[in-house]
Amino acid sequence: MDAFAQARGVVADRLFEPRVARAALVYLAVAAIVSTQLGTWTDEEYTLATTAHGPVYAFGRALTYELQAPLYFVLEAIWREANASIWWARLPSILCTALSFGVFARIGRRIAPERDPLPFVLIAGLNPFVVYAGFEIRLYAFALLAAGVMWLLFDAGFVSGASTRARILLVVTSVLAIYTQYFLAFALVGFGCALLAMRRWKALGAFVAICVPIGLAALPLAIRAHHQVGGYVTVAPPLGALLRQAALHPWTEFIFPWDSDWDEVRGVRLAYDVVVVIGFGVIIAAMPRLRRSDLGWIACAVSIEATYLALLAAVRLELNSRHYVALYVPVAAATYAVACGILRGSRPRYALVFGLSAALVVAGTVTRYRALAQPGDWRRVAAYVRAEARPGDAIVVYAADSVAPFERQYHGDLPVVPFPVAPDTDVYSDDVLTLRSESQAKRAFDALAGYRHLWFVDDIGCFKNDKPYGCAYVQPAIDRQFDVLRSRAFFENSVRELSTLRSEGREHATHP
C-alpha cells in the first residue's frame, strides 16, 4: 500500500504541480458545465453515427466512411456503451484537455526550469483551439494530449536525457498517436529535424532506429490512408491559395488568442499575417540569445509545417485548422522557448509579458464561446425556424450532411429537405455536397415546388459570399426563382425565408 501511494505521488508530482492541478480542475468544472449548453454540429454527428453501434462497427466505419484512423472512434464507441448522452460523449475530450494542463506544465519546466510554468500552461491550455478541441466529439483533444506526451518522451529520451524507458514509451505512444490521426506522424519528422538543429548526432542515430518499428507498425494504416485520400479528394483547390492558407492560418490561430471564424472585422486576416511576419522578425533578432535546444524546437515546428506543405502540394488536400493538430504542441513549445530566450534574466518582464498574454487568451476564449454555440449554431437555428415557419413550409438544409444536427435539435413537424440531394451514408464523398452549375441548383429548387415558403438554412457560407461546395451557384438560382422575405445570421450559419417558387423571369424585389 505504501509503495502504491508513493508511486501515485511520484506520478502526480511529475504531471501536476499543485497550482496547475487547481487550474485544470477549474477548467474541467467550467468546461463540463458549458458543454451542457452546446448543441451538436455536423462533424460531431458523424462521430455519433460512427460510434453508435459498438467498437467493431466504429473500426470499420472510421476507415471506410470517416476516412480517418480508427483508434479514437473505437475508444469512443466503448465509452458510449455506458451512456448515450451528448454530454457523456463529449466528456473524454474535456478530460483530455484538462490533462493537457499537466503536460504543458512539464513542457514548460523542460524548456525553462527556472521559470514559473503556470502562465505558459494558461496560454497553451486555454487557447481557443485547445478549448474547441475539448468541446468536440472528435479526435482532436485526444490527439493533442498524445502529441504532448510524445514531445515529453522525446525530450526525456533524446534531448534532456537518454532514458531507454522513455524511448520505448515513445515508440508505443507514437504508434497509438498515428492510429489516432495520421498527421501525428509528422511530429516524428519534427523531432528528427530538432536533433539535426541541435547537432546531436548520436541521439539522431538512435532516434532513426526507433522510427523503424514505428513505421512498420503504422504501415498497414499508411496503405489504407493512401486509398482514403484518393476517395476524399474530389475537387482540387488552387494550389497557390491552398499553400498560402496552410503556411499562415494555423500559426496565427495557434500563437494568437483569436479565432478568425468568430472575428468578422474587416482586415483581421491581414492583421494576423502582419503580426506573424513581425513575430518571425523578432525571432531572427533574438537568435544570438537563443540556446541550441531553443533552435531545435523552432526547427521541429518549422519542419512539421514544411511536411504539411509538401503533402498539400503532392495531393492537393484542403485542410482546416483542426487538421494541424500535430503542429500545435511544437508551435507552443517553440514560441515559449523563443519568449524565454528573449526575456532571459528579466523576471518582471516575464511576468508582465506572460501575464498579459494569458489574460488575452482567456479573453479570446470567452469571446469565442460568448454565444455558447458550436459551428452552425444549430440549437438557435432550429429554435428560430420552429418559431417562425408555418404549415405548408419546408426547411431546406445546405449542405446536405448538416440535416443530422438540425434534426437532432429541431423537434418540429415540417419536412426537412437536404440540398441539393440527400448524402450517401455508406460512402463519404464531397461530390454529393457540391453544386456543379446554376442549372443543378435550379433543378434542386424546382423539386420543391408546391410548398408555401422555403426556409433555406445555409451552413456552407454562401450568405457571406464564400465559395465552397459550389455555393456561388446558389445565390443566382435564388435571385431568379424567389424573393428573399427575410434573413437572419447565426454563428457560421444563416437562415433565409424564400417566397413561393415562381416562374423564371418574373419581376421581383428582394427584401433582406
Side-chain angles (χ1 to χ4, degrees), residues 222-251:
I223 295 171
R224 185 73 196 186
H226 174 74
H227 296 294
Q228 289 176 334
V229 169
Y232 178 79
V233 180
T234 56
V235 180
L239 181 59
L242 187 151
L243 292 179
R244 282 194 300 273
Q245 181 189 39
L248 292 173
H249 195 61
W251 293 79

Side-chain angles (χ1 to χ4, degrees), residues 447-494:
L448 299 170
Y451 291 108
R452 188 186 76 96
H453 289 169
L454 299 181
W455 293 82
F456 190 79
V457 181
D458 172 20
D459 183 38
I460 292 295
C462 301
F463 184 75
K464 298 189 297 183
N465 296 317
D466 293 340
K467 306 298 182 185
Y469 296 110
C471 75
Y473 302 117
V474 171
Q475 190 59 52
I478 290 176
D479 289 341
R480 290 177 181 276
Q481 297 177 272
F482 300 94
D483 293 329
V484 179
L485 304 178
R486 54 178 158 169
S487 65
R488 180 169 173 179
F490 296 85
F491 172 45
E492 294 190 4
N493 210 334
S494 68

Side-chain angles (χ1 to χ4, degrees), residues 307-346:
T307 307
Y308 271 107
L309 293 176
L311 174 71
L312 297 179
V315 301
R316 306 285 289 275
L317 183 65
E318 189 170 15
L319 302 179
N320 295 313
S321 296
R322 60 186 180 272
H323 299 126
Y324 291 88
V325 64
L327 190 57
Y328 183 80
V329 170
V331 166
T335 304
Y336 186 63
V338 170
C340 289
I342 294 172
L343 301 172
R344 188 166 289 122
S346 176

Side-chain angles (χ1 to χ4, degrees), residues 16-259:
F16 280 107
E17 301 177 20
R19 290 186 305 151
V20 174
R22 287 194 290 271
L25 288 173
V26 170
Y27 164 80
L28 182 62
V30 173
I33 294 170
V34 170
S35 69
T36 64
Q37 305 302 309
L38 299 176
T40 59
W41 74 290
T42 306
D43 280 14
E44 291 181 301
E45 288 294 335
Y46 280 135
T47 302
L48 293 172
T50 297
T51 60
H53 306 291
V56 175
Y57 177 84
F59 180 88
R61 184 176 164 92
L63 295 173
T64 60
Y65 188 83
E66 294 275 1
L67 305 181
Q68 302 259 13
L71 181 58
Y72 165 79
F73 298 99
V74 170
L75 295 176
E76 180 73 4
I78 295 171
W79 174 266
R80 292 190 65 208
E81 298 219 342
N83 188 295
S85 72
I86 301 301
W87 183 85
W88 182 257
R90 276 204 185 105
L91 187 56
S93 292
I94 297 172
L95 291 171
C96 284
T97 47
L99 289 172
S100 293
F101 277 53
V103 171
F104 288 129
R106 301 316 305 162
I107 291 173
R109 285 294 189 198
R110 297 280 179 85
I111 291 173
E114 74 283 2
R115 297 293 192 185
D116 178 7
L118 184 61
F120 171 65
V121 171
L122 296 178
I123 292 168
L126 295 179
N127 182 286
F129 175 77
V130 177
V131 176
Y132 154 83
F135 287 138
E136 284 280 285
I137 312 175
R138 296 295 276 178
L139 60 90
Y140 304 110
F142 190 72
L144 272 172
L145 181 60
V149 172
M150 287 175 67
W151 193 101
L152 288 175
L153 292 172
F154 168 72
D155 180 80
F158 298 95
V159 179
S160 63
S163 167
T164 301
R165 180 170 175 269
R167 294 179 179 185
I168 294 171
L169 288 174
L170 179 59
V171 172
V172 175
T173 304
S174 297
V175 172
L176 294 175
I178 294 169
Y179 274 78
T180 300
Q181 197 210 38
Y182 303 125
F183 297 136
L184 290 176
F186 294 175
L188 300 175
V189 177
F191 294 158
C193 290
L195 293 175
L196 276 173
M198 296 176 194
R199 300 180 184 177
R200 298 184 178 229
W201 312 119
K202 185 177 179 181
L204 179 60
F207 178 74
V208 171
I210 73 160
C211 286
V212 174
I214 296 173
L216 291 174
L219 185 60
L221 202 60
I223 295 171
R224 185 73 196 186
H226 174 74
H227 296 294
Q228 289 176 334
V229 169
Y232 178 79
V233 180
T234 56
V235 180
L239 181 59
L242 187 151
L243 292 179
R244 282 194 300 273
Q245 181 189 39
L248 292 173
H249 195 61
W251 293 79
T252 56
E253 289 201 8
F254 291 169
I255 296 176
F256 305 109
W258 304 291
D259 186 324

Side-chain angles (χ1 to χ4, degrees), residues 282-414:
V282 171
I283 292 173
I284 293 170
M287 285 297 181
R289 304 188 63 182
L290 299 181
R291 300 168 299 188
R292 187 168 292 173
S293 60
D294 299 334
L295 297 176
W297 298 128
I298 295 172
C300 177
V302 171
S303 60
I304 293 173
E305 170 68 19
T307 307
Y308 271 107
L309 293 176
L311 174 71
L312 297 179
V315 301
R316 306 285 289 275
L317 183 65
E318 189 170 15
L319 302 179
N320 295 313
S321 296
R322 60 186 180 272
H323 299 126
Y324 291 88
V325 64
L327 190 57
Y328 183 80
V329 170
V331 166
T335 304
Y336 186 63
V338 170
C340 289
I342 294 172
L343 301 172
R344 188 166 289 122
S346 176
R347 291 185 180 277
R349 282 193 297 163
Y350 175 89
L352 177 64
V353 169
F354 279 88
L356 287 175
S357 298
L360 284 171
V361 167
V362 172
T365 298
V366 170
T367 300
R368 165 64 176 83
Y369 287 97
R370 65 190 183 277
L372 296 177
Q374 289 288 72
D377 205 357
W378 292 106
R379 179 173 289 185
R380 289 185 179 86
V381 167
Y384 173 72
V385 174
R386 187 170 59 247
E388 300 297 331
R390 297 292 177 262
D393 294 350
I395 303 161
V396 181
V397 179
Y398 180 53
D401 60 348
S402 294
V403 167
F406 177 82
E407 287 188 325
R408 182 181 293 276
Q409 289 145 114
Y410 172 53
H411 309 302
D413 299 324
L414 298 181

